[in-house]
């Protein structure tokens, strides 16, 4: 069309063409809106996605589209439009795709029995998700869409130059016909046991589709190698749906593309009654490993680094909602992992930035699982966020809600590796079955050179457990039952060196538990507990090692405590026999003899008595015991006291 065609209204087109031209006019309008209002203006769009009108073999509708109905017998049109036809559309669709250009699908249900082959220039346009449905027939056991030479190119480390490019699937629903009935229905079975919705080895593509009830993956994408200096591999994906028998999305390339919007749920399910008895499943693709929701794979030779926009994955009952593999660069705006066995796992080698990661109701088991039938317990829950990177991940906002229905015992965050920066907010809720908070630590921090901040509320167990080395940790925790607000575990052999730990603990079963005496560290804490809860337990600082520096301010039932204190006591100035005097020391732990010193303070009229000796007799968790004897009693008008410095 010329540029002037854009000025013709839809009503004008219909008046000129007549009512019989409605479908053709729709094709023209779709051609402008979906494929190139930018036409002739944007070389990026044209070079990346192509444009209609450059097809092989002719037979084109206006706007450069092939209408797939032109290849289907007219007597089948009404049934397809009504969704009642069982006609096998495979040959007709593949014939239209053979034109290597844009294919228009009107509203209707198009049943197929073998894969639809995408090649360079193929843009499949439906008339809206739910309006246009590509449905796999029972017993087909194949991918719905797959790129040309997929089996030949799969695994090719330099296949990009040979692969299809500039193709897409938009505005339609793919129905894989995997489970025969609704996934929660009894007496169910599988119509298809194999096949992904979209299987790609290629680049320069765009996907905007709904996928429902697929036996394998909603999307499998792979592409490695250089397509040529004049080409950019950039591609985009917008995908939503539910029910897959394996991982929802496996991304192995092309690198540097954008997974813009993905919302998918109910991953790895089997039909009832089989589902009742499955205590655990592993991945078929990654043998023996967890069956995860979205996998970004850059293990050799794959090219799985990418950008992610908004991703929401739920109902992954056998693995993590989101998982990286290998040396994978990830840049993500907003990730949500909800109602999954595990939240997200960034494997060693992952690096990049996640702006927001939300994890809700983690540690889920399949709602259809029944231990009485399975004869074994379900798989244990996985971490809300497991960051194993030694390359440096930055998670700017990690928000975790520990709420039902869930299992107990998973840490909100576990970080190992090195050079990671993570900001965590964690909130717990009561388990309706037990009346107590769901159990599990807010953060377990290991590795080297970590920077982690933790703001956690309502924790059942140890809130923050630190086993890291030369790391900086900030914590603010409150309402900790059955555990410590902070556990610093130095292990044995003085291996835990150089951590800088700061923060507050408010109302914990134990405020701070210390394990071991590291060579050096800096701990600055504010602790606040009621009288029934201890402030401290475990190993106190090494007196001979002043590089182990603690500065702790605490309140126990509104009485001040700390790691240094100044206390005083007086005595009977008229008695010459030995006196035993007990004075609270106000330290959070029992002081050593070597850190207690004292002096006599004569603050008013000079006292005329004499002290024979003052002895520091004993110390326990609460008090110091002194023995004092006068060699000469004095008058009572003086103001004499003993000042004691502790710590």
């Amino acid at each position: 069309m010329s540029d002037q065609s854009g000025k013709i209204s839809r009503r004008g087109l219909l008046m000129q063409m007549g009512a019989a031209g409605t479908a053709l006019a729709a094709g023209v309008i779709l051609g402008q809106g979906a494929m190139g209002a930018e036409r002739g203006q944007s070389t990026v769009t044209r070079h990346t996605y192509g444009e209609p009108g450059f097809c092989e073999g002719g037979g084109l509708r206006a706007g450069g589209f092939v209408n797939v109905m032109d290849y289907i017998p007219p007597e089948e049109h009404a049934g397809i439009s009504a969704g009642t036809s069982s006609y096998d559309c495979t040959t007709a669709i593949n014939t239209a795709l053979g034109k290597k250009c844009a294919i228009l699908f009107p509203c209707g249900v198009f049943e197929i029995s073998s894969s639809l082959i995408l090649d360079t220039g193929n843009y499949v346009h439906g008339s809206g998700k739910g309006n246009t449905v590509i449905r796999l027939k029972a017993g087909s056991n194949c991918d719905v869409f797959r790129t040309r030479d997929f089996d030949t190119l799969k695994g090719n480390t330099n296949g990009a130059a040979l692969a299809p490019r500039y193709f897409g699937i938009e505005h339609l629903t793919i129905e894989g016909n995997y489970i025969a009935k609704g996934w929660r229905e009894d007496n169910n079975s599988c119509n298809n046991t194999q096949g992904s919705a979209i299987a790609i080895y290629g680049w320069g593509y765009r996907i905007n589709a709904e996928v429902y009830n697929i036996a394998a993956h909603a999307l499998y994408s792979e592409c490695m190698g250089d397509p040529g200096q004049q080409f950019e591999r950039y591609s985009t994906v917008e995908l939503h749906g539910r029910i897959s028998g394996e991982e929802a999305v496996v991304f192995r390339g092309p690198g540097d593309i954008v997974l813009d919007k993905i919302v998918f749920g109910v991953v790895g399910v089997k039909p009832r009654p089989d589902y009742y008895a499955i205590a655990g499943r592993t991945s078929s693709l990654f043998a023996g490993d967890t069956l995860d929701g979205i996998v970004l794979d850059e293990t050799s030779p794959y090219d799985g680094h990418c950008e992610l926009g908004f991703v929401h994955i739920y109902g992954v009952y056998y693995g993590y909602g989101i998982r990286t593999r290998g040396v994978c660069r990830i840049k993500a705006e907003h990730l949500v992992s909800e109602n999954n066995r595990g939240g997200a796992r960034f494997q060693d080698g992952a690096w990049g930035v996640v702006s927001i990661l939300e994890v809700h109701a983690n540690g889920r088991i399949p709602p259809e699982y029944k231990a009485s039938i399975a004869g074994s317990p379900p798989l244990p829950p996985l971490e809300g966020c497991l960051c194993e990177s030694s390359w440096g991940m930055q998670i700017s906002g990690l928000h975790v809600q520990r709420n039902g229905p869930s299992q107990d015992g998973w840490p909100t965050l576990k970080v190992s590796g090195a050079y990671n920066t993570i900001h965590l907010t964690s909130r717990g809720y009561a388990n309706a079955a037990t009346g107590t908070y769901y159990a599990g630590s807010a953060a377990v921090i290991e590795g080297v050179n970590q920077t982690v901040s933790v703001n956690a509320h309502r924790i059942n167990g140890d809130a923050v457990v630190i086993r890291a080395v030369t790391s900086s940790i900030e914590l603010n925790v409150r309402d900790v039952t059955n555990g410590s607000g902070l556990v610093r575990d130095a292990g044995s052999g003085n291996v835990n060196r150089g951590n800088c730990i700061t923060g507050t603990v408010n109302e914990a079963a134990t405020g701070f538990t210390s394990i071991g005496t590291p060579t050096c560290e800096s701990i600055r804490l504010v602790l606040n507990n009621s009288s029934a809860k201890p402030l401290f337990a475990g190993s106190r600082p090494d007196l001979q090692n002043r590089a182990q520096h603690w500065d702790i301010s605490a309140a126990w039932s509104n009485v001040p405590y700390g790691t240094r204190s100044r206390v005083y006591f007086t005595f009977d100035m008229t008695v010459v026999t030995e006196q035993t005097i007990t004075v609270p020391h106000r330290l959070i732990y029992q002081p050593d003899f070597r850190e207690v010193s004292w002096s006599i303070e004569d603050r008013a009229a000079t006292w005329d008595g004499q002290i024979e000796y003052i002895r520091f007799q004993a110390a326990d968790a609460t008090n110091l015991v002194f023995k004092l004897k006068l060699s000469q009693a004095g008058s009572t008008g003086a103001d004499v006291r003993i000042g004691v410095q502790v710590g």
Side-chain angles (χ1 to χ4, degrees), residues 255-268:
D256 297 309
I257 82 165
V258 177
L259 304 181
D260 192 27
K261 294 180 183 177
I262 298 177
V263 179
F264 201 92
V266 190
V267 175

Side-chain angles (χ1 to χ4, degrees), residues 204-256:
Y205 62 78
R206 61 180 173 191
I207 306 295
N208 185 349
E210 176 185 50
V211 173
Y212 178 72
N213 197 24
I214 195 74
H217 314 295
L219 172 65
Y220 178 98
S221 180
E222 178 183 321
C223 189
M224 293 88 75
D226 186 355
Q229 291 184 356
Q230 71 272 37
F231 298 117
E232 168 58 54
R233 298 183 301 177
Y234 179 75
S235 306
T236 62
V237 174
E238 184 171 336
L239 184 74
H240 71 90
R242 62 162 43 194
I243 306 177
S244 66
E246 299 291 339
E247 291 87 352
V249 174
V250 176
F251 179 73
R252 290 172 150 174
D256 297 309

